[in-house]
Structure formats: C-alpha cells, structure tokens
Amino acid sequence: MPKLETLEVLLIQEIKDLYSAENHLMKALPKMAKAASHPKLQAAFQKHLKETGGHVTRLEEIATLLEGTPRGKACKAMEGLVEEGEEAIKEDGDPAVKDLALIGAAQKVEHYEIASYGTARALAESLGLKEVAALLQSTLDEEGNTDKTLTALAEEITPAAMEKAG
Ligand SMILES: [Fe+2]
C-alpha cells in the first residue's frame, strides 16, 4: 500500500474504499428489498440497487482515469453498516415498524456514502480532475436523492407504525 504522500494517493484510496462499500451494498440491497413490506419501500430499494450497479461502473471508470485499480481495499465501515442492516432484516415484528428499521439502516448507509463521495469529489476538484469530479457528483446526486426518498417514505409509513403500537 503506497504511503499517503500525495492527494492522488489519497483519492485512489477513497475510490477503493467506495468500491468495496458499493459492492457490499450490491449484495445487501436485494435482501433489504425482500425484507421490506411497503411496496414503495421495496421499489425504492430495487431502484437503488440498479443505481448502485451504475456507481460500481463509475468507480471503475474513475480508477481507469486515475490509472489505478478500484480493488484491494475492504470497507470495514460498510461491512458494519450492512451487518446492522442484516439485524433489521432478520427481526420479526410489525411490518411498518420493521420497514422503519430498514429505512434507518439504509439511511446510515447513504449518509456514509454521501460523506465518502463528498470527500472524494473535493479531492478530485483540488487536483483539477474535472471528469472524475463530475462522475463522483453524479453518484453523489443519486445518493442524495435516495436519502430524500427514504425520509419521505419514513414519514409516510410512520403513522401506520404508530397506530398498531396503540
Ligand atoms: Fe452508491
């Protein structure tokens, strides 16, 4: 592993970390869609699964532009977040409450990604790598929209969860 001597090295490390994170998510999202009860939440997870496939491809493109490989790093943070998501998946209980648990787990993932992509984009901008910055921004926009969709769904599902808790 090269030392953190330049911003280029730091950027490629961030890309590797994100690549590992997105690949973890590719495996987790189908399980989350299956565990969700509300059809809109299932659809949101399915939609984000498709987008995540695009995020993986963009990271490969970025690595090529940086003349590096996106492979070779394990994102421990995403492993942990996905593990927590798995706990929500396995949990029994009221479907609306469980949906809210899944949304909570998914939003933690999105916020982590938004932080990581924001850092990577800032590094790319500092280095004058406009194409890389634009690719990262495209993904950042999709992560942000997913987060907003999840917030809206939580607001929609919450009344049903409150009713049953009576
Ligand atoms: Fe993503």
Side-chain angles (χ1 to χ4, degrees):
M1 183 71 59
K3 284 185 190 148
L4 287 181
E5 274 169 359
T6 65
L7 289 185
E8 284 93 341
V9 173
L10 180 57
L11 176 57
I12 194 76
Q13 290 213 1
E14 295 284 351
I15 297 303
K16 284 175 193 282
D17 188 79
L18 278 163
Y19 191 69
S20 165
E22 296 283 21
N23 278 300
H24 276 300
L25 207 50
M26 286 297 291
K27 286 181 223 142
L29 279 167
K31 292 184 210 166
M32 292 181 81
K34 223 176 139 194
S37 296
H38 199 295
K40 281 191 194 171
L41 184 57
Q42 291 171 358
F45 285 143
Q46 291 292 356
K47 184 185 175 210
H48 198 54
L49 174 62
K50 270 194 206 133
E51 287 175 342
T52 301
H55 300 173
V56 169
T57 306
R58 276 192 200 120
L59 290 168
E60 286 165 354
E61 283 172 39
I62 289 165
T64 304
L65 287 167
L66 297 172
E67 295 173 3
T69 167
R71 285 163 229 283
K73 202 169 184 291
C75 179
K76 292 188 192 111
M78 185 61 89
E79 272 171 33
L81 289 169
V82 163
E83 232 169 77
E84 286 195 5
E86 304 260 344
E87 285 170 22
I89 287 168
K90 284 181 205 142
E91 215 73 64
D92 284 328
D94 177 75
V97 176
K98 186 171 166 171
D99 276 355
L100 289 174
L102 291 168
I103 289 172
Q107 284 193 296
K108 286 175 195 172
V109 165
E110 289 313 310
H111 285 226
Y112 174 81
E113 288 190 301
I114 288 165
S116 297
Y117 276 107
T119 299
R121 186 209 47 203
L123 288 169
E125 277 170 0
S126 300
L127 289 162
L129 300 167
K130 285 191 184 141
E131 206 180 341
V132 173
L135 286 165
L136 291 167
Q137 185 62 54
S138 301
T139 296
L140 202 43
D141 290 343
E142 287 173 358
E143 309 290 18
N145 287 335
T146 301
D147 184 45
K148 284 193 197 104
T149 300
L150 290 170
T151 297
L153 279 172
E155 283 165 5
E156 198 176 323
I157 293 167
T158 296
M162 287 176 75
E163 245 168 56
K164 284 171 204 161

